[in-house]
Amino acid sequence: MDKRFKQKLLAAVIASMLLPLAAQASEADLIKRIEALAQQNEMLAKELQALKGQVQANEVKTAEQVKAVSAAAAKPDAAALEDLKGQMAMLQKKSLGSWLTVGGDYRFRYDYLAGKTKTFTDVSATFANAQTTLQTTMLTDTTGVAAAQLAGLAAFSAAMGNVQTYQQAAAFVTNPANAPMLGTPTVPGAIAGFAKTIPAYQPKNTSLYSNRFELDLNAKATQDVSVTAKLNMYKVFGSQNDGAVTNAGSAPFFADRVGVFDGTLGHVPSTSYLNVDRVYATWSNIADKEMWFSIGRRPSTGGAPSNLRNNTAVRPGNGGTPALLVDYAFDGVTLGYAPEIDALPGAYAKFCYGRGLETGFTNFTGNSLADTDMLGISLVPIDTDPLRVWLQWNRGMNIFDAPTMNNTYFGNTVAKTNLGDIDWFGVGFMTTHKNVGSGTLQLFGDLGLSVTHPNNNVSAQFGFQGLMTGAFFNPEAPTSKTGTAFALGVRYDLPSKSKFGFEWNHGSKDWITFAPAADDMWTAKVGTRGNVYEAYWIQELDRQPLSSYVSKAFFRVGVQYYKFDYTGSNNWVGAPVAIGSVNGNMMTTAPLENATNLYATFEVKF
C-alpha cells in the first residue's frame, strides 16, 4: 500500500474523530473537506488496482521466462552431444577391459602311483655295463684281452650307427664279423655276458605333489584381429626337473614320459620356468564371412572330451582337436569356415597344418633327415549345447624316431632318421541331457583308427626298429600296421555342484596316437594298448564368481587303473609285444603289466 495513501487515510480517521470538537466550523467547509477526502480515496483505489495488475503481469512474464529457460535447457546441442559420445567411445577404447581379457587357473595335485613290471633286459644298462666293466678290467689286465674287447665294442657301436635301412640292418645282424658281439641263435655273444636283466618289480610313489599355473591372455588388436596367449608352469614339489615322472636313474616306463620336449613342456611336470604354451594371431570375419585364419603356437591340447573330467567351464571351441588323436602343442596354421546352415547349427570345417620337428639346414654330408609335419581336416557338422559331433583326419609325415630331449636316461637325444608316415581317422560325439532325475547327464563316445606307412628306414639308436616294426637287434621288413581305439564316458552333475564321472579307454595291439601332452601321470591313457578305467568326483565350492563368469574353485578326486595287453603304449618305434610273452626281452623301456594312479586336486579357475 502507498505511503501517501496511508497518511491521508489516517488524517481522515482523526478528522472524523474530532468532528464533535469542530462544531463551531462552518457546515460548508466541512462538506468541502469530506468531498476532497472522498476524491482522494477514489484515486488511491485506482492506484492500488493498477499496482495489482502490474504485479500479475510481472508474474506471468516471469513464468514465461522460466518455461523458455527450461525448454532451452531440455533441448540439447546436437554437436555437443556428438562430441560427448565421441569422448565416451575413446574412453572405452582406452579401457583395458575393452580389448584385453585375462584368465587362467591354478592346480595343486596329489598322486599315488603304483605299478607292476615284467622281467626284461635293459638295453641301455647292458651297454653301459659292458663299457664300464671293460674299462675297469683293462686297467689290471696284462693280457690285452679286455682292451681288445673294449675296442671291439667301440667298433661295433660305430658300425651300428651307420645302419640306416632295413636291408642294412638285416645284413648287420647276420654278418659273421658281428657274431662275437651279437652271438648266434645257439651261441650267445659278448653283449649277453654284460646283460642287465631287471627282474619284475613294483614301482611306487606314495606322495607326488605338484603345482600347475596357467595364465590366459586375449588381446583385440584391431577390428577382427586378435592375439591369444597361454603361459604355464608345471613342477613337482621339491624338484626342478622331470625325474619324478621319468623314473630317473632307471629305464623309463613309456616313450611319452622319457623326458620333456617341444610339445609337452608345461604339460609334463618339469620346472617352475614360465613357458609360452600358446600364442597365435587370428583374423576373423574374412570378406564379411564366417571365415578365420589363425597362425602361431596352436590350441591343440586339452581337446574334447577331456574337458569333462578336467571340469573346464566351456567345451573346447573351434580351435580344439579330438583328444583321442592329438594332444600336442604344435606350431602351425588353421583356415576355417562356419557356414550358416539351419539344419546343421554351429557347423564348421577347418584345415590345419603343424610342424612337429624342424631339422635345420641340410649339411654337406647329405643329411637326409626331413622336417616332421602334420596335416589335418576337421569337420564338425553340429555344435550345440545338447549335441556336438566331430570327424577328423590327420596325417603325420616324416615321423622322427626320437625328439630332442636333454638329460634323459638315454642321455641327450635327437632325431636321427625318419621312419615314415601315419594316418589317423576319428569320429566322436558329446551330448548333454538336462533334467535327468535331479541333475544333468553328459555322455561322450570317440573312435580312432591309425594306419602306418613305414618307409625303408630303421632307427640305429633303437636297435634297428622301424615304424611299428621289429625289436631290438631283430629288424622286421616294413609293413603297414592298423590300430583302433575307443573312448566312452559319462558325467552326472547334481544341483549341489557335485559331479560324478566314469571313463573307459581301449586301444588295440597296433594302436598309436600322438598325445604325449595328455594330462596323465603314468602315460597318456588315450594311447594305451589295453584298457584304462577312470572314475572321479568333482565338488565345486558354492561361491559367487568374481573375476569372470567362468570363475570357480573345486576339489577333484579320482582313480585310474591301467591294464596293458601289449608293450609300447604311446610309442611308434618297434612292434608291440604281448605282455604275457615278455620274459627277459631286450627293451629300451620297462614293460608295465598294470598300473594304478590315485589322485586328488584343488583347482581354481579365474
Side-chain angles (χ1 to χ4, degrees):
M1 186 178 291
D2 189 84
K3 182 177 181 182
R4 189 177 58 178
F5 172 76
K6 291 181 179 179
Q7 292 175 346
K8 292 180 178 181
L9 183 59
L10 180 62
V13 173
I14 295 173
S16 64
M17 293 175 62
L18 296 176
L19 282 178
L21 300 177
Q24 293 90 2
S26 63
E27 182 178 347
D29 292 337
L30 185 59
I31 292 173
K32 289 180 181 179
R33 292 178 179 177
I34 293 171
E35 290 177 351
L37 289 171
Q39 290 177 355
Q40 292 177 357
N41 288 339
E42 184 176 354
M43 291 178 62
L44 290 172
K46 291 180 178 180
E47 291 178 2
L48 180 61
Q49 188 65 31
L51 184 61
K52 289 182 178 179
Q54 185 178 359
V55 171
Q56 290 177 351
N58 288 339
E59 290 178 349
V60 172
K61 186 177 181 180
T62 300
E64 291 176 352
Q65 290 177 345
V66 170
K67 289 181 179 180
V69 171
S70 299
K75 185 178 180 180
D77 187 320
L81 183 60
E82 288 302 318
D83 182 63
L84 182 61
K85 289 181 178 179
Q87 294 181 25
M88 291 296 294
M90 288 297 295
L91 288 174
Q92 290 177 351
K93 288 181 179 180
K94 292 181 179 179
S95 172
L96 280 176
S98 66
W99 64 271
L100 180 65
T101 303
V102 180
D105 69 84
Y106 165 77
R107 183 182 78 181
F108 162 77
R109 176 165 173 155
Y110 161 81
D111 286 276
Y112 173 95
L113 302 164
K116 182 180 179 182
T117 71
K118 299 285 288 186
T119 299
F120 75 107
T121 298
D122 187 337
V123 170
S124 295
T126 295
F127 275 86
N129 181 47
Q131 183 177 5
T132 302
T133 301
L134 291 175
Q135 287 175 340
T136 303
T137 305
M138 186 177 63
L139 296 176
T140 59
D141 181 26
T142 60
T143 64
V145 174
Q149 288 180 327
L150 185 60
L153 179 63
F156 177 86
S157 297
M160 178 179 171
N162 292 327
V163 173
Q164 295 181 339
T165 67
Y166 162 71
Q167 288 78 8
Q168 292 173 349
F172 184 92
V173 297
T174 57
N175 188 342
N178 295 321
M181 286 294 171
L182 289 174
T184 64
T186 58
V187 180
I191 291 178
F194 300 104
K196 291 292 292 185
T197 300
I198 310 300
Y201 70 102
Q202 296 182 358
K204 182 181 293 186
N205 189 337
T206 59
S207 58
L208 179 63
Y209 305 117
S210 60
N211 281 324
R212 190 189 70 185
F213 170 71
E214 297 180 329
L215 183 65
D216 297 317
L217 304 172
N218 182 267
K220 298 177 181 177
T222 67
Q223 181 181 2
D224 299 329
V225 177
S226 64
V227 174
T228 302
K230 177 190 285 290
L231 312 180
N232 65 357
M233 174 278 291
Y234 192 11
K235 71 178 293 289
V236 299
F237 281 27
S239 177
Q240 285 285 350
N241 57 55
D242 54 17
V245 294
T246 62
N247 198 27
S250 300
F253 300 109
F254 301 98
D256 62 340
R257 295 297 180 265
V258 169
V260 174
F261 51 94
D262 183 46
T264 69
L265 183 61
H267 298 273
V268 176
S270 57
T271 75
S272 60
Y273 295 161
L274 199 60
N275 166 58
V276 181
D277 180 50
R278 298 178 184 177
V279 58
Y280 55 93
T282 302
W283 174 22
S284 304
N285 300 318
I286 300 175
D288 293 327
K289 302 291 184 181
E290 290 298 320
M291 296 179 60
W292 69 93
F293 166 81
S294 183
I295 189 167
R297 194 155 177 85
R298 311 302 305 146
S300 50
T301 57
S306 65
N307 57 293
L308 288 182
R309 66 175 178 135
N310 291 330
N311 199 30
T312 305
V314 293
R315 294 182 303 184
N318 54 26
T321 53
L324 185 62
L325 301 187
V326 175
D327 205 324
Y328 186 86
F330 272 103
D331 301 290
V333 61
T334 291
L335 180 63
Y337 176 56
E340 295 184 2
I341 304 175
D342 292 340
L344 300 173
Y348 67 86
K350 63 179 182 177
F351 167 80
C352 305
Y353 162 79
R355 171 144 295 177
L357 175 69
E358 168 59 48
T359 60
F361 293 107
T362 300
N363 62 38
F364 67 93
T365 61
N367 173 22
S368 61
L369 189 65
D371 298 329
T372 298
D373 294 325
M374 180 175 284
L375 298 177
I377 295 178
S378 177
L379 299 176
V380 179
I382 183 169
D383 188 4
T384 64
D385 287 337
L387 176 63
R388 185 174 193 263
V389 177
W390 60 86
L391 299 96
Q392 185 83 19
W393 167 77
N394 298 328
R395 165 161 279 210
M397 298 174 291
N398 302 313
I399 300 295
F400 50 80
D401 59 343
T404 299
M405 298 179 287
N406 296 323
N407 301 318
T408 75
Y409 182 66
F410 310 111
N412 295 337
T413 68
V414 295
K416 293 185 177 180
T417 188
N418 300 120
L419 299 177
D421 303 338
I422 304 177
D423 279 316
W424 287 279
F425 304 88
V427 57
F429 72 92
M430 294 177 63
T431 64
T432 301
H433 306 273
K434 298 182 179 180
N435 302 318
V436 177
S438 59
T440 298
L441 182 66
Q442 299 188 70
L443 304 168
F444 74 80
D446 208 355
L447 297 174
L449 178 74
S450 64
V451 182
T452 64
H453 307 284
N455 55 29
N456 206 38
N457 295 341
V458 294
S459 175
Q461 62 182 330
F462 292 114
F464 312 140
Q465 298 179 95
L467 184 64
M468 299 283 290
T469 60
F472 207 91
F473 286 154
N474 187 13
E476 175 189 348
T479 307
S480 177
K481 303 293 179 67
T482 299
T484 58
F486 66 78
L488 301 173
V490 57
R491 195 182 82 181
Y492 189 59
D493 303 349
L494 293 171
S496 61
K497 294 185 178 294
S498 295
K499 303 175 181 181
F500 299 91
F502 178 79
E503 297 182 4
W504 174 25
N505 287 79
H506 174 78
S508 69
K509 173 183 177 181
D510 293 311
W511 165 247
I512 183 62
T513 185
F514 201 73
D519 190 25
D520 303 300
M521 284 296 182
W522 274 115
T523 187
K525 71 174 187 176
V526 294
T528 299
R529 293 167 183 162
N531 296 280
V532 184
Y533 308 95
E534 180 173 7
Y536 61 87
W537 164 53
I538 297 170
Q539 181 59 59
E540 294 186 8
L541 302 184
D542 189 13
R543 294 294 184 270
Q544 188 73 20
L546 296 179
S547 59
S548 71
Y549 76 96
V550 298
S551 299
K552 57 186 173 182
F554 59 91
F555 292 93
R556 181 161 59 112
V557 178
V559 58
Q560 292 178 323
Y561 178 72
Y562 294 77
K563 183 65 175 69
F564 299 98
D565 296 332
Y566 297 90
T567 63
S569 294
N570 290 297
N571 187 8
W572 54 70
V573 180
V577 178
I579 289 294
S581 301
V582 175
N583 186 19
N585 304 48
M586 293 189 69
M587 293 184 172
T588 55
T589 57
L592 274 180
E593 184 176 359
N594 57 65
T596 301
N597 182 191
L598 299 173
Y599 63 86
T601 72
F602 176 63
E603 305 181 48
V604 180
K605 298 186 182 296
F606 58 89

